[in-house]
Amino acid sequence: MKKLMCAVVAGVLAMPVGAAPLCDDLGFAGLLAKCNRGETIKLTLASGQALGEDVQLQSGAYYKLEVTADGSAELAIEGPGFFRAIWMNEIVINKIEIRPMAIDSIEFDKAGTAELSFIAIKPGRHVIRIPGSTGDAQSITVSIQ
């Protein structure tokens, strides 16, 4: 029985990890290395316009989320499940870098851009949406593998 348990544990440990970073040699920068960066996710906050497209992310990889408001209305995005499934590196607004512990939402009173950089951590399907909206185009689903 003991040999069987050791064989099972060894087999599980030998399996490839499904949520590995995007590159093999992370170097000094670790998970923030340039080779570990995924495509930038772009969201647009505009009255009557679609928020963006659903995206699929790799756990352990580094991403940027660029949210641009056109100033046509006072709009926000929220996604508490998503924001709790990532490690937030920084938020940049008007060249000011903010290093938050956590956020729940971001609201734009006028036109502007906020850039969030983060590492995807917790696998699952998470929704980012415009608060109070009900239309399908007013939300996106972020899937982390």
Tab-separated table of all heavy atoms in Angstrom, residues 3 13-14 18 22 24 29 35 37 39 42 47 49 57 69 73-74 81 85 93 103 116 127 132 140:
chain	number	residue	atom	x	y	z
A	3	LYS	N	3.888	1.559	-1.169
A	3	LYS	CA	4.510	1.725	-2.488
A	3	LYS	C	3.517	2.316	-3.485
A	3	LYS	O	3.880	3.129	-4.317
A	3	LYS	CB	5.043	0.379	-3.004
A	3	LYS	CG	6.284	-0.083	-2.300
A	3	LYS	CD	6.799	-1.367	-2.905
A	3	LYS	CE	8.028	-1.826	-2.158
A	3	LYS	NZ	8.578	-3.061	-2.725
A	13	LEU	N	3.107	14.500	-9.111
A	13	LEU	CA	4.149	15.520	-9.140
A	13	LEU	C	4.828	15.611	-10.505
A	13	LEU	O	5.342	16.662	-10.873
A	13	LEU	CB	5.189	15.249	-8.050
A	13	LEU	CG	4.680	15.409	-6.613
A	13	LEU	CD1	5.780	15.041	-5.623
A	13	LEU	CD2	4.193	16.817	-6.351
A	14	ALA	N	4.841	14.525	-11.268
A	14	ALA	CA	5.483	14.524	-12.580
A	14	ALA	C	4.603	15.126	-13.665
A	14	ALA	O	5.073	15.431	-14.746
A	14	ALA	CB	5.857	13.093	-12.965
A	18	GLY	N	-0.642	23.047	-15.457
A	18	GLY	CA	-1.460	23.671	-16.492
A	18	GLY	C	-1.372	25.184	-16.530
A	18	GLY	O	-1.539	25.787	-17.561
A	22	LEU	N	4.150	32.392	-19.159
A	22	LEU	CA	4.266	32.338	-20.607
A	22	LEU	C	5.665	32.018	-21.098
A	22	LEU	O	5.838	31.638	-22.243
A	22	LEU	CB	3.793	33.659	-21.219
A	22	LEU	CG	2.339	34.040	-20.951
A	22	LEU	CD1	2.033	35.408	-21.544
A	22	LEU	CD2	1.390	33.001	-21.512
A	24	ASP	N	9.832	30.363	-20.153
A	24	ASP	CA	10.558	29.423	-19.297
A	24	ASP	C	11.604	30.100	-18.419
A	24	ASP	O	11.790	29.743	-17.276
A	24	ASP	CB	11.243	28.355	-20.150
A	24	ASP	CG	10.234	27.492	-20.884
A	24	ASP	OD1	9.128	27.282	-20.356
A	24	ASP	OD2	10.562	27.017	-21.989
A	29	ALA	N	13.662	39.617	-13.247
A	29	ALA	CA	12.375	40.301	-13.060
A	29	ALA	C	11.268	39.359	-12.588
A	29	ALA	O	10.201	39.805	-12.192
A	29	ALA	CB	11.945	40.983	-14.353
A	35	CYS	N	9.099	38.632	-21.267
A	35	CYS	CA	8.651	37.434	-21.984
A	35	CYS	C	7.384	36.834	-21.377
A	35	CYS	O	6.737	36.000	-21.992
A	35	CYS	CB	9.756	36.386	-22.018
A	35	CYS	SG	10.187	35.705	-20.388
A	37	ARG	N	4.641	38.581	-20.566
A	37	ARG	CA	3.537	39.531	-20.734
A	37	ARG	C	2.586	39.098	-21.837
A	37	ARG	O	2.995	38.803	-22.952
A	37	ARG	CB	4.074	40.926	-21.043
A	37	ARG	CG	4.843	41.455	-19.865
A	37	ARG	CD	5.320	42.846	-20.059
A	37	ARG	NE	6.147	43.203	-18.902
A	37	ARG	CZ	6.748	44.349	-18.766
A	37	ARG	NH1	6.625	45.271	-19.688
A	37	ARG	NH2	7.468	44.588	-17.709
A	39	GLU	N	-1.114	39.865	-24.085
A	39	GLU	CA	-1.652	40.987	-24.855
A	39	GLU	C	-2.387	41.967	-23.930
A	39	GLU	O	-3.020	41.555	-22.960
A	39	GLU	CB	-2.625	40.489	-25.918
A	39	GLU	CG	-1.987	39.619	-26.989
A	39	GLU	CD	-1.062	40.407	-27.889
A	39	GLU	OE1	-1.410	41.556	-28.233
A	39	GLU	OE2	0.000	39.874	-28.241
A	42	LYS	N	-8.109	45.859	-23.810
A	42	LYS	CA	-8.598	47.233	-23.973
A	42	LYS	C	-10.110	47.277	-23.786
A	42	LYS	O	-10.839	46.531	-24.434
A	42	LYS	CB	-8.209	47.772	-25.340
A	42	LYS	CG	-6.708	47.882	-25.499
A	42	LYS	CD	-6.319	48.560	-26.765
A	42	LYS	CE	-4.803	48.623	-26.810
A	42	LYS	NZ	-4.302	49.662	-27.654
A	47	SER	N	-20.943	56.016	-23.808
A	47	SER	CA	-22.393	55.894	-23.729
A	47	SER	C	-22.934	55.173	-24.959
A	47	SER	O	-22.705	55.588	-26.093
A	47	SER	CB	-23.011	57.290	-23.606
A	47	SER	OG	-24.403	57.185	-23.438
A	49	GLN	N	-22.064	52.300	-26.198
A	49	GLN	CA	-21.090	51.469	-26.916
A	49	GLN	C	-20.770	50.205	-26.126
A	49	GLN	O	-20.890	50.178	-24.902
A	49	GLN	CB	-19.798	52.258	-27.156
A	49	GLN	CG	-19.972	53.527	-27.948
A	49	GLN	CD	-20.434	53.253	-29.368
A	49	GLN	OE1	-19.954	52.346	-30.025
A	49	GLN	NE2	-21.407	54.022	-29.830
A	57	LEU	N	-7.121	34.487	-20.120
A	57	LEU	CA	-5.798	34.771	-19.582
A	57	LEU	C	-5.162	33.511	-19.027
A	57	LEU	O	-5.850	32.560	-18.668
A	57	LEU	CB	-5.891	35.825	-18.469
A	57	LEU	CG	-6.637	37.115	-18.784
A	57	LEU	CD1	-6.648	38.029	-17.562
A	57	LEU	CD2	-6.026	37.815	-19.973
A	69	ALA	N	-12.167	56.088	-21.233
A	69	ALA	CA	-13.494	56.704	-21.226
A	69	ALA	C	-13.479	57.868	-22.203
A	69	ALA	O	-12.522	58.643	-22.227
A	69	ALA	CB	-13.851	57.192	-19.836
A	73	ALA	N	-20.354	60.178	-20.919
A	73	ALA	CA	-21.196	59.994	-19.734
A	73	ALA	C	-20.295	59.653	-18.551
A	73	ALA	O	-19.149	59.251	-18.733
A	73	ALA	CB	-22.216	58.881	-19.959
A	74	GLU	N	-20.827	59.822	-17.357
A	74	GLU	CA	-20.095	59.418	-16.161
A	74	GLU	C	-20.281	57.912	-16.012
A	74	GLU	O	-21.378	57.443	-15.712
A	74	GLU	CB	-20.671	60.164	-14.954
A	74	GLU	CG	-19.821	60.062	-13.723
A	74	GLU	CD	-20.337	60.963	-12.616
A	74	GLU	OE1	-20.512	62.172	-12.850
A	74	GLU	OE2	-20.567	60.428	-11.512
A	81	GLY	N	-15.025	40.162	-8.306
A	81	GLY	CA	-14.504	38.798	-8.443
A	81	GLY	C	-13.211	38.769	-9.228
A	81	GLY	O	-12.253	38.076	-8.870
A	85	ALA	N	-9.115	38.029	-8.042
A	85	ALA	CA	-8.470	36.872	-8.665
A	85	ALA	C	-7.113	37.230	-9.280
A	85	ALA	O	-6.491	36.411	-9.926
A	85	ALA	CB	-9.381	36.288	-9.748
A	93	ILE	N	-2.731	56.544	-13.815
A	93	ILE	CA	-3.712	57.526	-14.264
A	93	ILE	C	-2.977	58.855	-14.417
A	93	ILE	O	-2.384	59.341	-13.449
A	93	ILE	CB	-4.872	57.677	-13.252
A	93	ILE	CG1	-5.541	56.326	-13.003
A	93	ILE	CG2	-5.873	58.712	-13.726
A	93	ILE	CD1	-6.489	56.303	-11.835
A	103	ILE	N	-8.898	46.786	-5.301
A	103	ILE	CA	-9.908	47.743	-5.748
A	103	ILE	C	-11.194	46.982	-6.024
A	103	ILE	O	-11.191	45.759	-6.177
A	103	ILE	CB	-9.474	48.541	-6.998
A	103	ILE	CG1	-9.282	47.609	-8.196
A	103	ILE	CG2	-8.235	49.349	-6.731
A	103	ILE	CD1	-9.082	48.348	-9.498
A	116	LEU	N	-4.092	49.436	-15.841
A	116	LEU	CA	-3.850	48.561	-14.709
A	116	LEU	C	-2.906	47.461	-15.154
A	116	LEU	O	-3.136	46.842	-16.204
A	116	LEU	CB	-5.147	47.916	-14.220
A	116	LEU	CG	-6.218	48.798	-13.614
A	116	LEU	CD1	-6.957	49.595	-14.663
A	116	LEU	CD2	-7.183	47.956	-12.832
A	127	VAL	N	-16.441	38.428	-14.214
A	127	VAL	CA	-17.134	39.432	-15.025
A	127	VAL	C	-16.669	40.833	-14.629
A	127	VAL	O	-16.574	41.159	-13.458
A	127	VAL	CB	-18.667	39.317	-14.852
A	127	VAL	CG1	-19.384	40.427	-15.596
A	127	VAL	CG2	-19.141	37.950	-15.326
A	132	GLY	N	-24.905	48.684	-12.777
A	132	GLY	CA	-26.295	49.048	-13.044
A	132	GLY	C	-26.764	48.746	-14.451
A	132	GLY	O	-27.923	48.960	-14.775
A	140	ILE	N	-17.886	42.172	-19.893
A	140	ILE	CA	-17.033	41.169	-20.529
A	140	ILE	C	-16.755	40.079	-19.519
A	140	ILE	O	-16.826	40.302	-18.301
A	140	ILE	CB	-15.711	41.763	-21.060
A	140	ILE	CG1	-14.799	42.207	-19.908
A	140	ILE	CG2	-15.937	42.885	-22.051
A	140	ILE	CD1	-13.361	42.389	-20.318
